Amino acid sequence: MSKIKYLVVMVASVGIISCGQQTDKNATKEDVKQEEQSLDSLKGYPWDIPQTKPDRPLSAANERLYDRYMAPRPQDNELFSQFKYTELKGFDYGKDDGTISRRDPSKIIKENGKFYVWYTHRQTVKPPVGFSNAHLSTDAIPSTDWDLADIWYATSKDGITWEEQGPAIKRPEKPALGWRSVTTTDILKWEGKYYLYFQAFSEASGTKGDHCPVAVAHSDSPDGPWAIVDQEIIPNGESGTWDQYSIHDPYPLVYKGKIYVYYKAAYGVRPEYLVAAGLAIADNPLGPFKKHPLNPLFNSGHETALFPFKEGIAALITRDGNENSTIQYAPDGVSFDIASVSAFLPFAAGSYIPDAFNSKGNGRGITWGISHFTGSQGYPEGRGRKYSYLARFDCDLSLDLDDPQMKDTRLYLHPEVYFSRKLSKKQMERIRKESE
Ligand code: AAL
């Protein structure tokens, strides 16, 4: 076998600079020369796009094309999609003054012939004072958009017009876990019962950080009533570990006969922190949950948005990290890698996942869900609305749908969308100074 396998080489005096896959430090100049000669004698790359990895030396990018992605063209890649958005009917945001907010929707399930979604609902006398002003919050004035919130739910026949049903879980009396705010919930159905996992705040978010553990409530019906278990179900990590202060976005799926709860933690000191997700596994919805020793399993993404896909689990990675705006896949639910790169992914996606709890190693994927927009997003310097609202997204990340429009890689947007990304005053000032 050649000492330098499948590599694209540039010989620099005695060393080898390579952008290929494998280098052999013991390769001699003679080896390199031979390899160069054999590369020189290679036939040109085929015109007909090879559907499987060609048996020939490949560039690093072409190796990746076959090793990483489900198909060489995104149009044929079951885990590539565009995302389209639709406004929802049935949710009232009052005077649009930031006193009513809805955000962080759960996955959507279908029960009794209707779609169900649960979400964080805040109705307060004033809009939030902001994370860094948490000291100005009171028992009636929220620090953040998700402070002083309860968990509400809504149902729908078509996924566009929703009927708000009211509270599912109200924040309990002080000092019970979650007395300050119950937020960012997600649903599990297990042996005929329903479980809502949620963030249980016992201080205003922003006081010391966005600190909270995860609690759970259970019910015999998706319409409740819900009984809160007054204990930390997924406790924060030990002191000095990545999830010591926060477990966010608990996201249950049933996988390999067990309950897999993916969750997010923001670690490191703000504002230079990293956001990533890990996994806790249990045989019983009320625990005990064992955290995966390799946590965090992701290096990017602001929320948990996962779904069973083929024999593994796929994830939408949004907003934070080197790998944001990717769709990732782990054939074992643990070893996630990039399966496609997309754009305009939904924030805080709660997808409709018909097989979230019974995929049996044959996950079919997703075609729609609900996400949120926060009012201040897209507005520089803190302008915009101080609340969040729910919207629908559609996509084709499904083995059962073939929608070529969702697979179009070219995203043409109106120039106004680009011009809405305005430079801040500080940036304008820098540019002005640079040209002086
Ligand atoms: C969200 C989620 C968690 C955070 C906050 C409310 O996007 O990541 O729920 O705590 O923001």
Side-chain angles (χ1 to χ4, degrees):
M1 192 173 107
S2 163
K3 283 190 179 167
I4 309 162
K5 194 185 163 209
Y6 294 175
L7 63 95
V8 180
V9 276
M10 287 143 65
V11 184
S13 62
V14 280
I16 301 169
I17 302 165
S18 153
C19 44
Q21 288 66 50
Q22 290 180 19
T23 56
D24 185 337
K25 289 199 179 112
N26 299 324
T28 63
K29 270 185 172 178
E30 193 50 36
D31 294 327
V32 173
K33 199 169 171 195
Q34 266 181 24
E35 192 65 29
E36 266 193 316
Q37 277 168 358
S38 81
L39 285 179
D40 280 347
S41 65
L42 254 185
K43 280 194 179 155
Y45 198 75
W47 158 268
D48 283 325
I49 304 162
Q51 289 308 308
T52 54
K53 190 172 171 178
D55 183 18
R56 54 171 277 155
L58 293 172
S59 66
N62 250 346
E63 284 274 354
R64 221 164 47 233
L65 196 59
Y66 291 94
D67 290 347
R68 177 170 289 171
Y69 303 107
M70 279 176 187
R73 289 176 357 115
Q75 290 85 344
D76 308 315
N77 180 350
E78 295 284 9
L79 280 180
F80 170 77
S81 183
Q82 280 204 16
F83 296 86
K84 297 197 173 179
Y85 293 86
T86 309
E87 287 183 45
L88 295 179
K89 293 185 185 138
F91 294 113
D92 179 8
Y93 291 89
K95 294 184 185 145
D96 283 340
D97 58 0
T99 56
I100 301 179
S101 190
R102 293 180 186 82
R103 56 180 294 142
D104 291 306
S106 70
K107 72 170 78 61
I108 297 160
I109 60 170
K110 197 169 190 183
E111 299 286 309
N112 315 318
K114 291 176 289 187
F115 297 115
Y116 280 72
V117 67
W118 291 261
Y119 46 88
T120 304
H121 177 275
R122 176 178 59 76
Q123 184 155 10
T124 46
V125 289
K126 293 217 165 143
V129 290
F131 191 86
S132 52
N133 288 327
H135 58 284
L136 301 177
S137 66
T138 67
D139 282 354
I141 301 176
S143 58
T144 58
D145 193 21
W146 55 97
D147 186 28
L148 295 176
D150 302 295
I151 292 163
W152 282 37
Y153 78 115
T155 58
S156 172
K157 287 271 183 201
D158 63 3
I160 292 175
T161 301
W162 291 82
E163 270 180 54
E164 190 155 68
Q165 304 292 338
I169 304 174
K170 287 188 185 169
R171 50 188 190 277
E173 291 285 307
K174 199 172 180 178
L177 193 63
W179 65 267
R180 178 73 198 188
S181 198
V182 291
T183 80
T184 324
T185 194
D186 213 286
I187 184 85
L188 166 73
K189 187 177 180 184
W190 176 264
E191 294 179 350
K193 287 189 191 287
Y194 302 82
Y195 298 83
L196 282 173
Y197 296 84
F198 56 92
Q199 295 181 202
F201 283 91
S202 295
E203 63 182 30
S205 157
T207 304
K208 295 198 280 288
D210 197 18
H211 297 179
C212 64
V214 165
V216 70
H218 53 90
S219 174
D220 291 335
S221 154
D223 292 297
W226 296 90
I228 302 182
V229 180
D230 186 22
Q231 73 185 58
E232 298 182 1
I233 283 294
I234 305 180
N236 295 5
E238 280 173 23
S239 171
T241 59
W242 77 296
D243 56 357
Q244 64 177 334
Y245 296 131
S246 58
I247 309 258
H248 291 166
D249 300 82
Y251 190 91
L253 291 171
V254 176
Y255 184 58
K256 296 183 178 170
K258 291 182 188 282
I259 298 149
Y260 274 48
V261 176
Y262 294 89
Y263 65 91
K264 178 204 104 185
Y267 62 105
V269 179
R270 281 178 189 247
E272 283 93 21
Y273 63 108
L274 241 169
V275 182
L279 169 65
I281 303 174
D283 292 315
N284 184 307
L286 303 185
F289 278 90
K290 191 171 180 299
K291 292 184 184 172
H292 199 281
L294 294 180
N295 281 349
L297 302 182
F298 292 90
N299 59 35
S300 302
H302 189 81
E303 291 101 359
T304 48
L306 303 102
F307 53 93
F309 194 79
K310 295 187 169 176
E311 78 272 27
I313 302 286
L316 306 180
I317 303 298
T318 53
R319 215 164 116 188
D320 291 325
N322 278 317
E323 296 178 359
N324 82 73
S325 297
T326 61
I327 295 155
Q328 305 210 358
Y329 180 62
D332 58 357
V334 169
S335 317
F336 286 90
D337 201 351
I338 296 168
S340 77
V341 181
S342 188
F344 290 94
L345 269 67
F347 287 162
S351 311
Y352 171 49
I353 311 178
D355 58 2
F357 315 124
N358 60 355
S359 60
K360 299 193 178 77
N362 182 23
R364 306 308 296 171
I366 58 165
T367 61
W368 68 278
I370 292 185
S371 64
H372 74 216
F373 291 107
T374 64
S376 55
Q377 270 160 15
Y379 296 86
E381 295 153 20
R383 288 200 298 271
R385 293 176 281 189
K386 287 192 164 181
Y387 69 98
S388 305
Y389 52 100
L390 303 176
R392 174 178 164 126
F393 67 90
D394 281 82
C395 60
D396 177 4
L397 295 169
S398 164
L399 297 172
D400 302 321
L401 177 70
D402 183 17
D403 182 345
Q405 286 182 292
M406 291 294 188
K407 300 282 178 183
D408 188 354
T409 54
R410 292 180 190 168
L411 198 60
Y412 292 114
L413 300 169
H414 194 279
E416 274 176 19
V417 177
Y418 292 88
F419 292 130
S420 74
R421 307 256 320 123
K422 288 194 191 315
L423 290 163
S424 67
K425 279 187 193 147
K426 194 174 167 190
Q427 289 169 320
M428 286 297 264
E429 185 59 13
R430 170 176 59 74
I431 292 165
R432 197 187 56 73
K433 279 200 179 131
E434 279 165 8
S435 54
E436 263 171 19

